[in-house]
Amino acid sequence: MSEGARLVVGPFNRVEGDLEVHLDLAGGRVARAQVNAPLYRGFERMLEGKDPRDALTITPRICGICSISQSMAAARALGAAMGLVPTPQGAGVAALIHAVENAADHLLHFNLFFMADFTRPCYAAQPWYGRVVERFTAAEGGAVRAAVEARARLMHILGLMAGKWPHTLALQPGGVTRTPGARDKLRIEASLRAFRRYLEEVMFGGPLEEFVALGNPDALARWERGDVGLFFRIAEDTGLAALGRGAGRYLSFGAYPLAEGAGHAFASGIWQAGQLAPLETGSISEDLSHAWMLGATAHPYAGVTRPDEAMREGAYSWCKAPRLSAQPVEVGALARQVIDGHPLARALVGPDGLGGGVLARVAGRLLELARTQIVMERLAADIDPTARFITQGRLPDEGQGAGLVEAARGALGHWLRIEGGKIASYQIIAPTTWNFSPRDGAGVPGPLEAALVGVPVAEGEATPVAVQHVVRSFDPCMVCTVH
Amino acid sequence: MKVLWLQAAGCGGCTMSLLCAENPNVFELLSGAGISFLWHPAISLESGAEVRALLEAVERGEVALDVLAIEGSIERGPRGTGRFQMLSGTGRSMLDWVVSLAPRAHHVVAVGTCATYGGITSAGGNPSDAVGVQYDGAHPGGALSAEFRSLSGLPVINVAGCPTHPGWVTETLMLLAAGALGAADLDALGRPLFYAQHLVHHGCPKNEFYEYKASAEALSELGCMMEHLGCVGTQAVGDCNIRPWNGEGSCTRGGYPCINCTAPEFEEPRHPFTETPKIAGIPVGLPSDMPKAWFMALASLSKAATPERIARNAVAPRVEVTPTIRKPKGRR
């Protein structure tokens, strides 16, 4: 490979939506990366001037994979503007509906999006190659087929409680639109039992409680059971722990709010330099210096979305660059588990203040999938079929509100301003907006751009496999990214 | 039959819904019917250079294109360039690729309301100048002209829905593979009749409330949502309440209105989605094929005759009054 060679990687599939990665190579490694989100649709502009309630119909359709997360964020933003919170039981069912989507996304990512790359011929000499081909060949592998079946069955909970998936209107500022009865509760619990059986028999190969009790990467590496065990073996042999390490700055808005004042099932906060700090959303801003967007760096309450139709030189993505106190942060399942204080997640990102790499991101997601099952079982057990599941409120003519939730891929925020009873401004920062942001005005690259530096590229590789592992380890959702 | 699936400007939700197919799962269902993917962005192994080579080979006519399936609307902006969506790695817009590949295809299938008519991507002021593959809203002529016909002689087959039910997509593909879907099997907007000949109203669990115009006043109440909550299930095509979604769901079963997501321009109803527009207190919009005078007469009569059970349950979140049990005659 010649020094100074460049590669354009795309179409980049098994990520949700459109992604193009530009790589400068030197010495058989990535020297510099630019990440381009090449699709702009303009949801924030569509919403301007509409009845605020219409956000509940329109924003879920930003994304077919994080649809319920978008619903949740919109419902919370409206609720904040209305001064309305869901009834406790409505909040519990909403959290369950949300957790089902997130669990389904984690399942899909591992089995359909991520593992397929190890079936590539470049790994044919590996002792595990036959096994991984049998389990993870696209559309045909045993694990792939088992995963879509388990996912479809799990989603019966959404058919029952949310009408359909994706794109439900069941999540409202005051709760949920369907009131479960005693038999619905039993059906939900039956679906969850079936899902646990799948997770324990196929994916994890053992009790979930045993997996979530693992405390460090050595114990993880010794977990040989299930498809998850196959992944840990592959990770060890291919050095995925050191590949694509992040900067160790994580953000979580907190997932699945518990009863009033009791926090979240997975805590909110900020993690940097090996320290936990409380969430401070006032210091969030979006920088437009390298985005085909016009306007100044602003907090989302003041932000605008004006596409630069000239697609000026120097900018290279429709994605804005969100920053927290002027710094990029990584979001996602690993971030949530680190911030929640899970010992395995903390150990995976290391005591050196550096961030986790491919292994840590994927293991963080698997850990969270196991823990989410336990959360869902508790939310289902807590359903009281005699309770009220929704309360009504009034929209103000003037007001504002933020809806901050955790999608499968990380922190999702909606910031809404209402004037004259209509939407005056609606700004959205999605998880992959954070993770796959372009550079900012100081030239600081986004988290993926930084994580790709140093990734090996073999002679003659047009679509480098290690780059694919790093990109997919973030579980990007590109349709959410620009929206 | 090999399907090349492209994701244009949409949310990917029609693919996500497709993966919810059951009995059997999507992969067994399609492979059993002799259908495989030439390439699918969410499913296939191939990425980057491998995909570019495939697309170029299809474009040159070296690889046969049995079905071109397009999910998402086609963006023409900014300023007619299509550059709001570049097909990554190719330096060309999705608009350019679709126009180039469609004439090579034996069938072109638009999956979802974005691809069929523009859909949600064209909502509001349509910031990206998005259209459907062969329609611009309800008007024929989108990214492809109204006159376009694929090699099979059919226009673009419009599997509309936001999202599409997995059955609508898999059965359309299976009918095509079996040579059993012709022009007479599509409605006037190009939608397969096997699901578009039904209304969402058919099989709706709120039918008894509808019969008496016993209306829900707020979301979650059991009554009919036509009068107050924006439900247009009596006008929307789809078998949503005949074959359920995700086990046993549908929008109206979930306690929220049908917003006619299988129709062109559903994204701009010109009133809030969950509120019925009214003139002098009377809802605008009649059930399909119902003469207005009849509807008004029947509505006022049935409203006056509403039994107590139905009136009370209509405004409750759960059944409060159960049906009267009549004892059988002639036995003791």
Side-chain angles (χ1 to χ4, degrees):
Chain A
M1 178 184 321
S2 59
E3 287 301 300
R6 308 191 91 177
L7 278 181
V8 179
V9 185
F12 213 120
N13 74 330
R14 283 176 286 110
V15 300
E16 185 60 42
D18 299 55
L19 170 68
E20 184 176 87
V21 179
H22 292 239
L23 304 170
D24 291 350
L25 308 178
R29 293 186 179 276
V30 174
R32 186 177 188 279
Q34 274 189 193
V35 178
N36 174 14
L39 167 65
Y40 166 80
R41 288 173 295 162
F43 273 82
E44 293 157 330
R45 300 298 298 272
M46 291 173 203
L47 288 159
E48 290 168 9
K50 289 199 177 293
D51 186 287
R53 290 169 294 175
D54 284 350
L56 295 167
T57 297
I58 293 172
T59 62
R61 289 172 166 84
I62 289 170
C63 179
I65 197 166
C66 326
S67 172
I68 283 170
S69 291
Q70 298 285 356
S71 286
M72 273 302 259
R76 295 265 184 77
L78 284 167
M82 297 164 80
L84 182 70
V85 292
T87 66
Q89 281 286 313
V93 170
L96 174 63
I97 288 169
H98 190 190
V100 167
E101 177 178 87
N102 285 350
D105 283 6
H106 285 352
L107 178 76
L108 190 74
H109 176 264
F110 181 79
N111 287 287
L112 266 74
F113 290 174
F114 182 75
M115 289 299 287
D117 287 313
F118 299 101
T119 69
R120 292 182 179 281
C122 62
Y123 290 119
Q126 296 284 354
W128 36 260
Y129 186 69
R131 180 89 184 127
V132 85
V133 164
E134 180 194 318
R135 299 297 295 159
F136 291 104
T137 293
E140 288 172 12
V144 173
R145 292 194 172 190
V148 293
E149 288 193 357
R151 175 180 173 277
R153 286 200 307 271
L154 175 67
M155 288 205 171
H156 285 200
I157 297 172
L158 302 182
L160 194 62
M161 292 310 304
K164 71 177 194 299
W165 183 89
H167 306 340
T168 177
L169 263 167
L171 302 175
Q172 295 286 324
V176 293
T177 59
R178 191 167 179 284
T179 297
R183 82 104 198 167
D184 300 307
K185 175 175 174 169
L186 292 175
R187 273 280 156 202
I188 291 166
E189 292 183 314
S191 292
L192 288 174
R193 278 196 299 276
F195 192 59
R196 177 183 272 266
R197 194 173 314 116
Y198 158 78
L199 290 177
E200 294 190 336
E201 287 180 2
V202 179
M203 231 179 127
F204 289 88
L208 299 181
E209 282 74 9
E210 212 177 296
F211 189 83
V212 302
L214 297 176
N216 58 65
D218 291 338
L220 195 67
R222 287 195 301 273
W223 184 279
E224 293 173 338
R225 289 170 278 167
D227 290 320
V228 157
L230 175 60
F231 166 68
F232 295 132
R233 170 80 196 278
I234 292 172
E236 188 121 314
D237 289 356
T238 55
L240 297 186
L243 185 69
R245 292 192 72 172
R249 275 189 306 279
Y250 297 110
L251 162 74
S252 170
F253 289 154
Y256 318 125
L258 304 172
E260 196 72 37
H264 295 83
F266 301 142
S268 70
I270 297 161
W271 176 266
Q272 56 186 343
Q275 296 290 321
L276 192 63
L279 177 66
E280 165 49 72
T281 60
S283 54
I284 293 173
S285 62
E286 288 196 292
D287 175 298
L288 312 183
S289 60
H290 291 75
W292 292 308
M293 290 285 168
L294 304 173
T297 298
H299 182 274
Y301 271 136
V304 295
T305 299
R306 286 165 51 214
D308 175 8
E309 298 194 346
M311 298 173 78
R312 67 182 182 278
E313 288 290 317
Y316 56 86
S317 178
W318 295 109
C319 181
K320 299 175 182 176
R323 295 292 185 261
L324 180 73
S325 304
Q327 287 188 306
V329 294
E330 187 175 326
V331 299
L334 176 63
R336 275 192 294 271
Q337 295 305 317
V338 166
I339 287 164
D340 195 53
H342 193 281
L344 175 60
R346 291 268 173 99
L348 280 165
V349 301
D352 52 3
L354 273 176
V358 172
L359 168 66
R361 289 187 197 99
V362 177
R365 201 169 287 116
L366 294 169
L367 169 66
E368 185 170 273
L369 176 56
R371 291 189 72 194
T372 302
Q373 171 68 19
I374 295 164
V375 170
M376 292 191 294
E377 288 167 355
R378 195 176 68 207
L379 288 167
D382 286 347
I383 293 173
D384 170 7
T386 66
R388 277 169 60 100
F389 288 83
I390 193 167
T391 184
Q392 309 295 336
R394 270 182 58 84
L395 272 163
D397 279 344
E398 315 288 323
Q400 65 177 34
L404 308 177
V405 304
E406 284 289 319
R409 298 157 184 80
L412 168 66
H414 286 196
W415 285 265
L416 158 73
R417 280 195 301 110
I418 302 171
E419 289 174 10
K422 304 287 184 196
I423 294 173
S425 162
Y426 206 109
Q427 289 287 308
I428 298 161
I429 304 180
T432 311
T433 324
W434 288 101
N435 287 339
F436 283 23
S437 88
R439 282 161 174 72
D440 58 30
V444 177
L448 172 65
E449 292 180 330
L452 283 172
V453 172
V455 168
V457 176
E459 187 73 37
E461 269 193 311
T463 308
V465 70
V467 168
Q468 298 193 60
H469 295 326
V470 174
V471 167
R472 293 197 180 97
S473 74
F474 283 88
D475 189 12
C477 177
M478 302 308 296
V479 292
C480 277
T481 300
V482 178
H483 39 267
Chain B
M1 188 176 82
K2 292 200 170 184
V3 180
L4 173 63
W5 188 294
L6 296 179
Q7 285 181 329
C11 72
C14 292
T15 287
M16 286 298 120
S17 180
L18 176 66
L19 294 173
C20 295
E22 288 181 271
N23 292 324
N25 68 62
V26 61
F27 300 121
E28 275 181 40
L29 183 62
L30 293 179
S31 63
I35 299 163
S36 60
F37 290 108
L38 201 53
W39 187 68
H40 187 298
I43 295 167
S44 298
L45 176 66
E46 295 79 10
S47 206
E50 303 152 315
V51 185
R52 294 199 298 270
L54 172 69
L55 293 175
E56 286 159 13
V58 171
E59 191 173 38
R60 288 191 301 265
E62 294 165 11
V63 171
L65 186 53
D66 301 333
V67 175
L68 176 62
I70 297 161
E71 177 183 2
S73 43
I74 310 301
E75 297 188 336
R76 299 177 299 189
R79 303 168 193 166
T81 63
R83 295 181 72 197
F84 277 141
Q85 188 184 20
M86 302 296 279
L87 179 56
S88 66
T90 69
R92 292 167 60 186
S93 67
M94 185 62 82
L95 170 68
D96 189 43
W97 275 107
V98 166
V99 169
S100 174
L101 291 175
R104 294 277 182 199
H106 193 65
H107 296 294
V108 178
V109 179
V111 180
T113 304
C114 288
T116 53
Y117 311 121
I120 209 84
T121 305
S122 63
N126 193 1
S128 63
D129 195 15
V131 289
V133 177
Q134 200 175 11
Y135 279 81
D136 180 357
H139 304 287
L144 304 176
S145 73
E147 292 73 36
F148 170 84
R149 295 293 179 271
S150 64
L151 297 178
S152 67
L154 290 177
V156 174
I157 296 157
N158 284 333
V159 189
C162 188
T164 41
H165 189 291
W168 302 346
V169 177
T170 54
E171 288 162 22
T172 298
L173 293 175
M174 290 193 294
L175 286 166
L176 288 174
L181 192 77
D185 302 310
L186 305 175
D187 76 0
L189 290 162
R191 298 175 292 204
L193 281 166
F194 71 84
Y195 79 91
Q197 65 191 343
H198 302 288
L199 294 173
V200 173
H201 184 56
H202 300 167
C204 176
K206 295 172 184 289
N207 275 176
E208 193 187 33
F209 296 105
Y210 170 83
E211 287 160 17
Y212 290 98
K213 301 294 165 288
S215 298
E217 287 162 12
L219 292 172
S220 94
E221 294 172 358
L222 298 179
C224 177
M225 296 182 285
M226 177 184 176
E227 185 178 2
H228 301 304
L229 297 174
C231 188
V232 285
T234 55
Q235 302 166 55
V237 308
D239 55 9
C240 301
N241 278 306
I242 296 171
R243 69 160 109 202
W245 292 69
N246 305 104
E248 52 181 288
S250 78
C251 294
T252 58
R253 284 160 202 244
Y256 55 91
C258 167
I259 59 171
N260 201 6
C261 75
T262 53
E265 302 171 31
F266 89 95
E267 67 279 358
E268 284 298 327
R270 296 181 171 77
H271 58 81
F273 283 101
T274 50
E275 189 179 294
T276 305
K278 293 175 190 171
I279 295 175
I282 298 175
V284 175
L286 288 169
S288 293
D289 311 311
M290 190 140 188
K292 185 170 186 183
W294 274 101
F295 181 78
M296 301 300 288
L298 286 173
S300 58
L301 193 64
S302 60
K303 232 177 188 179
T306 307
E308 166 80 1
R309 168 176 63 83
I310 295 162
R312 276 183 52 198
N313 289 341
V315 290
R318 52 173 69 84
V319 172
E320 288 190 351
V321 185
T322 56
T324 303
I325 305 297
R326 290 215 184 97
K327 290 201 176 114
K329 292 176 185 166
R331 278 203 207 176
R332 13 179 84 229

